[in-house]
Amino acid sequence: MPYHGRYSMQITTLFLVFVLFWYSCEHADLKNRACDNCISTKPSTGRFIVHFTHDENHQAIPFRIFNGTYESGAVVVTDTATSEEFQTILNVGTTYTVAAEYMNDGTTITVINTGRARARRQGCTDGGGEITHYCWYVIPGEADARLKE
């Protein structure tokens, strides 16, 4: 029994180190750009990306983007996707819901998912170790509106 607890602790520690490393690397480029191209005030808008299933059976996918929930009915974008990705600019910090409609054998399948662009503040230096100023950057929002296999 003592070995089980020791290995469990080691596995948990390894997992936490991996998660922290992955998260820091994922946003490192955005953080570096925040300091290189400093935005001193919090951005109000940012990129919002929607992913679609685009293949020989699904060449044109009608979709809508709602401010908030699908049930709210507050449509902000109505369009037809003709590729695997659609990008637009929407408000930062607001959750948006995407509803994409796919036709399969005469049946409409609606895929619904949400996403939200976020603004983050990064402490920056002028080459030294001390933070001298803060800059903002935007983490793009994404919604996966692809068909599940």
Side-chain angles (χ1 to χ4, degrees), residues 107-143:
T107 302
T108 301
I109 298 171
T110 304
V111 176
I112 299 173
N113 210 335
T114 62
R116 166 174 69 110
R118 299 182 314 263
R120 293 286 186 254
R121 191 172 78 149
Q122 171 69 32
C124 300
T125 67
D126 287 333
E130 299 282 326
I131 294 176
T132 58
H133 59 287
Y134 289 90
C135 298
W136 289 90
Y137 64 99
V138 174
I139 299 170
E142 292 192 72

Side-chain angles (χ1 to χ4, degrees), residues 10-66:
Q10 289 172 343
I11 291 171
T12 301
T13 302
L14 185 61
F15 175 75
L16 288 173
V17 168
F18 173 75
V19 168
L20 290 172
F21 178 75
W22 174 80
Y23 181 78
S24 65
C25 290
E26 179 180 330
H27 298 295
D29 186 45
L30 290 171
K31 290 178 180 179
N32 291 338
R33 275 192 273 155
C35 294
D36 294 342
N37 303 309
C38 189
I39 302 171
S40 58
T41 58
K42 184 177 181 178
S44 60
T45 60
R47 276 189 315 136
F48 189 83
I49 305 162
V50 183
H51 302 280
F52 298 97
T53 298
H54 185 262
D55 56 25
E56 63 278 353
N57 297 321
H58 307 102
Q59 295 290 316
I61 305 107
F63 70 94
R64 292 173 291 166
I65 301 176
F66 298 85

Side-chain angles (χ1 to χ4, degrees), residues 70-111:
Y70 176 76
E71 293 79 13
S72 75
V75 177
V76 294
V77 175
T78 300
D79 208 334
T80 300
T82 56
S83 66
E84 293 180 352
E85 186 176 285
F86 173 84
Q87 294 189 29
T88 189
I89 303 295
L90 295 173
N91 291 332
V92 167
T94 301
T95 298
Y96 294 94
T97 302
V98 177
E101 296 181 348
Y102 295 90
M103 291 298 294
N104 272 354
D105 298 325
T107 302
T108 301
I109 298 171
T110 304
V111 176

